Amino acid sequence: MLHSSHEPAGYRCPFCELVNEQPFSEGNLCAPSDLIYQTKLVAAIMACDGFGNYGGHVMIIPTAHLESLYDLDEQTGSAIMWETKRVALAMKLAWNPEGTSTRQHNEPAGNQHVWHYHQHVFPRYADDELYRQLRHRVGVEERAQKAAELRTAVLSASHPNRLQQAEIIR
């Protein structure tokens, strides 16, 4: 197994409580009104925290309790991406932002804080300061080395979703 769960013993998942209409545990920051809609596989919910200078971002979550990206099956992953697009287009209709962005976090070092997969969808504005960190260039040699390392890893027999050489067109 290439990853392990970071969910603490006795964890009460705030997203599962919301989508399964369970009583909210102490500390659950969700509200019933956060649910925008729910399908068989995923739900779209308003986020209780804002990032940057604007509120109003949405999280797309699986209705099944899946902790991270590593736990997604193909059908659920596809549904998450489809609903991410649907919500981004709804933001364009509802708020007319200058753009949209998505992001997703896995494990504590990846900045994950809720142990249930969630894809963030942000309305974007020129002055939103969503990404305050400084961008820096990565040299061609370093990028080439990292690309080669990832190519080897994705073809590795140790990879749980190994890419087959026959699937590669270049």
Side-chain angles (χ1 to χ4, degrees):
M1 173 82 79
L2 297 176
H3 66 94
S4 59
S5 176
H6 295 279
E7 184 178 294
Y11 183 66
R12 299 276 311 267
C13 178
F15 297 164
C16 286
E17 289 175 349
L18 177 63
V19 299
N20 294 313
E21 300 181 277
Q22 298 170 343
F24 284 11
S25 57
E26 186 176 338
N28 186 340
L29 300 176
C30 295
S33 59
D34 289 337
L35 182 66
I36 302 166
Y37 64 88
Q38 182 171 334
T39 68
K40 180 180 175 186
L41 293 176
V42 301
I45 65 173
M46 293 303 302
C48 64
D49 291 328
F51 291 91
N53 297 330
Y54 295 88
H57 87 276
V58 173
M59 293 182 293
I60 308 299
I61 63 172
T63 55
H65 184 73
L66 301 170
E67 183 174 324
S68 68
L69 175 68
Y70 317 124
D71 302 311
L72 296 182
D73 59 84
E74 187 174 350
Q75 187 177 17
T76 303
S78 294
I80 288 167
M81 188 50 64
W82 180 255
E83 298 308 328
T84 297
K85 176 182 175 181
R86 189 187 317 260
V87 165
L89 290 168
M91 287 177 173
K92 295 293 284 179
L93 283 170
W95 304 325
N96 195 28
E98 298 167 37
T100 60
S101 287
T102 65
R103 70 181 185 200
Q104 194 273 321
H105 309 281
N106 299 286
E107 302 178 283
N111 204 33
Q112 184 178 8
H113 301 287
V114 176
W115 309 117
H116 187 122
Y117 177 97
H118 50 290
Q119 171 84 18
H120 297 266
V121 186
F122 297 93
R124 296 299 307 274
Y125 305 91
D127 64 343
D128 64 22
E129 297 185 8
L130 180 61
Y131 301 112
R132 293 182 190 186
Q133 69 271 24
L134 297 177
R135 185 180 299 195
H136 67 282
R137 298 280 179 205
V138 176
V140 172
E141 297 82 16
E142 183 178 351
R143 296 192 325 252
Q145 177 184 342
K146 290 187 179 298
E149 292 165 355
L150 287 175
R151 191 174 300 109
T152 299
V154 80
L155 292 167
S156 167
S158 299
H159 194 295
N161 300 106
R162 179 182 183 185
L163 181 65
Q164 299 299 314
Q165 189 69 43
E167 296 176 88
I168 299 174
I169 60 170
R170 64 179 212 125

